[in-house]
Amino acid sequence: MTALTHDVVAFALIGASLVGPGQPAVKVHGANNSGSTGYVDLRNPSSAWTDLSGWSMVSCSGREKNALVTFPAGFRVPPGGRVLVAGGDFAGDGTRQVTVPAVDGEGAALLDRRGVFVDRFALTPDSPCREKEAALPCGHGMAPQRDALSTDTDDNRADFTCAPTVG
């Protein structure tokens, strides 16, 4: 696992919305698994702060899960806030950023303190990061992303569409 760096630039906030019953407060909003320039965009669409202390991120390659980062004590995401878990060569866009060497594979997942999947995303049908149907791949300069409210139906194909990459 990679330790967090201190390249916290700023919070970029999106409009807060309420999270439905049984829905995780923080979601995988988008991802671009392109190695050292890749990222996983986490968003908190709720109206409350969410504590990610001890939570972790993994990337998925085939049927394997690879550790990206474990969030330290006190790591919180504000209402409407976002965090990018980004590869070391990611250009950045002014968003609060957690730097890891690379974001590889065909998917990513957020796990709680107990190691239980909170939210996940994948482009391949056999990925352990997939929810129901895999998301469709995107063309050059595009990456899978949820809508502005981070709508989550637990079906990657329904939840993710192609949008311009972050950064």
Side-chain angles (χ1 to χ4, degrees), residues 22-112:
Q23 292 289 315
V26 174
K27 300 183 183 292
V28 175
H29 181 79
N32 182 7
N33 295 55
S34 58
S36 64
T37 61
Y39 62 85
V40 178
D41 183 3
L42 299 176
R43 302 244 177 138
N44 178 4
S46 79
S47 59
W49 282 83
T50 300
D51 185 0
L52 297 184
S53 300
W55 289 32
S56 60
M57 288 286 319
V58 298
S59 65
C60 292
S61 184
R63 294 181 182 266
E64 299 295 317
K65 294 182 291 189
N66 304 301
L68 287 175
V69 67
T70 297
F71 297 99
F75 194 93
R76 296 172 18 140
V77 183
R82 70 189 270 224
V83 174
L84 287 178
V85 176
D89 294 327
F90 179 76
D93 71 347
T95 300
R96 184 175 184 195
Q97 185 173 317
V98 174
T99 303
V100 298
V103 178
D104 290 320
E106 301 86 34
L110 179 64
L111 291 78
D112 68 13

